[in-house]
Amino acid sequence: MELSIEGRGVCGLGRGRQFLAKKRYRQQFIDKLGIEAVGGTLNLSVEDVEKLDILHRSKGILIEGFVEDDIDYGDVKAFPAEIRNIPVAVLLPQRSCHEKVIELISNKLLRDELDLENGDTLNITVYLD
């Protein structure tokens, strides 16, 4: 099943890059999603609460959390997705301070590849199956 979601590019807290630098997350993204994430995450604000609910209720692919240096890195639910024919993954961290924001990773620097400015609108196709 495919889900089309529209979102606007927004600034994050800069923590995505720190999490993506963790080898245990990075290897799972490669093994489970086929994505060797570069850069940080691209944050998209999604206003359609119904579509966000569908994502949160869907099974997705579990990226398992771990403990490292006494820090608990939580589970992440992930979905293969696509933006303008670029393979990406939508990430829903178990612990997040964002209510209406989804995070995206890719093998490419998405802001550069998509020539994206904050506030620009993107359409994403998310694969739920």
Side-chain angles (χ1 to χ4, degrees):
M1 182 176 146
E2 294 181 7
L3 180 66
S4 179
I5 298 178
E6 181 179 276
R8 291 192 182 280
V10 294
C11 283
L13 301 173
R15 298 189 66 207
R17 184 178 307 272
Q18 296 170 350
F19 288 104
L20 293 182
K22 297 296 177 188
K23 184 177 181 180
R24 290 168 90 178
Y25 277 141
R26 292 180 65 77
Q27 192 60 52
Q28 289 184 76
F29 294 145
I30 293 167
D31 294 344
K32 297 179 179 184
L33 298 164
I35 291 180
E36 187 167 352
V38 298
T41 60
L42 173 63
N43 294 329
L44 295 181
S45 175
V46 178
E47 294 301 317
D48 190 333
V49 177
E50 290 178 23
K51 290 191 178 181
L52 283 174
D53 286 344
I54 291 169
L55 274 182
H56 285 286
R57 287 192 318 264
S58 297
K59 183 178 178 184
I61 297 168
L62 176 64
I63 305 298
E64 296 176 24
F66 53 92
V67 176
E68 182 177 289
D69 299 326
D70 293 326
I71 298 172
D72 187 358
Y73 294 91
D75 291 345
V76 177
K77 188 188 310 188
F79 299 90
E82 190 175 285
I83 300 174
R84 298 184 197 160
N85 297 316
I86 299 171
V88 300
V90 172
L91 304 181
L92 298 175
Q94 178 186 23
R95 294 183 221 135
S96 177
C97 59
H98 303 297
E99 290 183 22
K100 293 184 178 181
V101 173
I102 58 175
E103 299 183 47
L104 307 177
I105 60 170
S106 176
N107 295 333
K108 301 180 182 297
L109 293 171
L110 289 172
R111 282 193 178 270
D112 294 342
E113 191 74 21
L114 300 168
D115 193 27
L116 183 67
E117 301 284 335
N118 284 334
D120 288 351
T121 301
L122 288 175
N123 289 303
I124 311 155
T125 301
V126 181
Y127 303 103
L128 300 178
D129 297 321

